[in-house]
Amino acid sequence: VQLQASGGGLVQAGGSLTLSCAASERTFSIYRMAWFRQAPGKEREFVAGILWSGNLPFYKDNVKGRFTISGDAAKNTISLQMNGLKPEDTAVYFCAAGTNPTTAVYAIWGQGTLVTVSS
C-alpha cells in the first residue's frame, strides 16, 4: 500500500489550505491515519490523526480549533482542513497509516507536500 498526499502550496498568514491523502488500494489492515509535519531544521512532529474505530479525531494542541481532520475508512483517505494558518505552520506535511490495531505506530508513509505560510 502506498500513500499519496497532495494539496500543499503557498498561502498568506490567516489563510486556508486543504491537504488530501489517499491509499493506493483498499485494505482492511489500516487502523489509523494521521498527518505529521517537519519544519526546516526541526524533527518531524504529529499534527492530527484519526482512528477508524469510532472515527475518532485527535490533534496536536497548537492546531486544535484551526485544523480539522476527516476521512473515509472504506477508502483509506484523509483530509486536513487548515484554517487560520500561521508562519510557524510552514513545513513539509506527511500522511501516514498505522497497521497495528493497538499501538500508534505508523508503518506506511506518503511523500511530503510542502506548505508555506507567508507573514
Side-chain angles (χ1 to χ4, degrees):
V1 177
Q2 294 181 330
L3 301 178
Q4 181 71 41
S6 61
L10 173 64
V11 64
Q12 289 187 333
S16 299
L17 276 176
T18 300
L19 306 182
S20 298
C21 177
S24 58
E25 58 188 74
R26 297 182 67 177
T27 173
F28 295 106
S29 64
I30 292 177
Y31 294 89
R32 67 187 71 216
M33 294 185 72
W35 290 98
F36 289 74
R37 67 186 180 187
Q38 187 167 18
K42 295 187 177 181
E43 294 187 351
R44 188 174 299 187
E45 64 176 4
F46 170 82
V47 176
I50 189 165
L51 293 172
W52 290 142
S53 175
N55 210 29
L56 296 173
F58 46 102
Y59 300 92
K60 178 180 174 62
D61 283 347
N62 66 359
V63 305
K64 287 180 181 177
R66 298 190 298 124
F67 291 9
T68 301
I69 188 170
S70 60
D72 185 327
K75 298 178 180 179
N76 283 318
T77 60
I78 54 172
S79 295
L80 186 67
Q81 174 67 43
M82 304 185 292
N83 299 324
L85 283 162
K86 305 175 181 179
E88 52 263 43
D89 294 318
T90 294
V92 177
Y93 284 69
F94 300 87
C95 63
T99 56
N100 189 303
T102 58
T103 64
V105 175
Y106 294 90
I108 305 172
W109 290 82
Q111 91 292 355
T113 185
L114 178 62
V115 173
T116 304
V117 184
S118 62
S119 58

